[in-house]
């Protein structure tokens, strides 16, 4: 029984460490994304972590080496985080909403492409209030009123808020 118990503990410990490494990868990827740091810097960040762990906690250095932070991994983490946030927003918007005023903001990206940001401030029947970025749409044509209306309509249709 002791041998079996010891073997089970090895698997549990490895699984827990693996989950911690993946969770750390997500947290670091989210921090990189929030700080608008280029994805090319991710390997540099990992090298810094490994060097710091070598000096501060040498026994744990392998855990830091196992953190996946390649450009491709950070992009995948970003896609997963984005999908999760969209699913959460969709589940909230699928409930009955009493009011949902929208707010619009226009910005221009680095390539001089217009970006229309659509925010929603929703109130449900339980009077829970939330405000989220609903959509960011590129404005590739002119910015006439009817063009903006069609872009907003498309953004709201993606969440089935209008027919």
């Amino acid at each position: 029984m002791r041998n079996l118990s010891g073997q089970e503990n090895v698997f549990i410990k490895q699984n827990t460490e693996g989950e911690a490494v993946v969770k750390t990868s997500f947290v670091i990827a989210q921090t990189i994304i929030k700080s608008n740091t280029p994805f090319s810097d991710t390997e540099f960040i990992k090298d810094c972590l490994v060097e710091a762990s070598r000096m501060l906690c040498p026994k744990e250095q392998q855990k830091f080496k196992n953190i996946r932070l390649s450009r491709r991994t950070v992009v995948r983490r970003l896609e997963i985080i984005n999908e999760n946030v969209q699913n959460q927003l969709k589940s909230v918007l699928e409930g009955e909403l009493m009011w949902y005023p929208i707010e619009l903001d226009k910005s221009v990206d680095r390539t001089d492409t217009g970006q229309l940001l659509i925010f929603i401030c929703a109130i449900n029947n339980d009077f829970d209030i939330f405000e989220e970025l609903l959509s960011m749409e590129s404005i590739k044509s002119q910015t006439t009123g009817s063009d903006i209306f069609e872009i907003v309509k498309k953004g709201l249709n993606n969440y089935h808020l209008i027919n």
Side-chain angles (χ1 to χ4, degrees), residues 108-151:
V108 178
D109 64 11
R110 293 180 184 171
T111 62
D112 286 337
T113 302
Q115 302 290 337
L116 183 66
L117 304 172
I118 305 170
F119 294 90
I120 186 167
C121 179
I123 303 169
N124 65 14
N125 289 336
D126 296 329
F127 295 103
D128 295 325
I129 301 172
F130 65 94
E131 184 176 10
E132 289 292 330
L133 174 65
L134 187 68
S135 179
M136 181 176 78
E137 304 290 336
S138 294
I139 303 173
K140 297 185 173 111
S141 61
Q142 299 176 9
T143 55
T144 63
S146 60
D147 292 332
I148 292 173
F149 175 77
E150 289 301 320
I151 293 170

Side-chain angles (χ1 to χ4, degrees), residues 82-111:
N82 181 45
E83 184 178 328
N84 186 335
V85 169
Q86 283 186 343
N87 288 339
Q88 288 179 31
L89 184 58
K90 283 181 181 179
S91 69
V92 168
L93 294 177
E94 285 174 356
E96 287 192 35
L97 299 177
M98 288 178 49
W99 305 98
Y100 56 93
I102 59 171
E103 302 167 16
L104 305 177
D105 191 13
K106 183 182 170 231
S107 182
V108 178
D109 64 11
R110 293 180 184 171
T111 62

Side-chain angles (χ1 to χ4, degrees), residues 65-81:
K65 287 181 179 178
N66 290 339
I67 298 172
R68 303 288 174 232
L69 288 177
S70 69
R71 288 182 199 180
R72 184 170 280 156
T73 300
V74 172
V75 169
R76 278 196 316 263
R77 302 285 190 245
L78 170 63
E79 290 170 349
I80 291 169
I81 291 169

